[in-house]
Amino acid sequence: MADEVRTEAPPVGEEIHLPEPSVLPLLVAVFFTIGLVGITIFWPLTVFGGVVTLALVVRWIRDTRREIGQLPLEH
């Protein structure tokens, strides 16, 4: 048997930042897919999917910037 080396965890320093749960990535994928399907089926569907996708991406970026803005300056 090998000798077991036991080390203790380092002291707690800073809190780990995880992004908040969001449904926006799923919605972007769905409406982007609708836009792509619309190319072959019905062109107004492409316009609809593109506009909604663009709006969702803008919202996703705003949420991310707001969340990053709440982090301590050391990051």
Side-chain angles (χ1 to χ4, degrees), residues 1-18:
M1 281 207 295
D3 293 329
E4 290 185 35
V5 178
R6 293 183 185 238
T7 59
E8 292 187 29
V12 177
E14 61 185 58
E15 187 175 320
I16 296 174
H17 175 263
L18 295 174

Side-chain angles (χ1 to χ4, degrees), residues 22-33 56 60:
S22 177
V23 71
L24 289 173
L26 175 66
L27 291 176
V28 167
V30 167
F31 283 99
F32 184 76
T33 303
L56 288 170
W60 190 3

Side-chain angles (χ1 to χ4, degrees), residues 12-66:
V12 177
E14 61 185 58
E15 187 175 320
I16 296 174
H17 175 263
L18 295 174
E20 297 176 2
S22 177
V23 71
L24 289 173
L26 175 66
L27 291 176
V28 167
V30 167
F31 283 99
F32 184 76
T33 303
I34 288 173
L36 287 178
V37 169
I39 290 173
T40 60
I41 295 177
F42 187 58
W43 71 266
L45 195 60
T46 300
V47 173
F48 172 72
V51 168
V52 174
T53 299
L54 184 62
L56 288 170
V57 167
V58 167
R59 181 173 172 198
W60 190 3
I61 290 171
R62 281 187 191 160
D63 288 351
T64 302
R65 292 185 80 186
R66 177 186 45 80

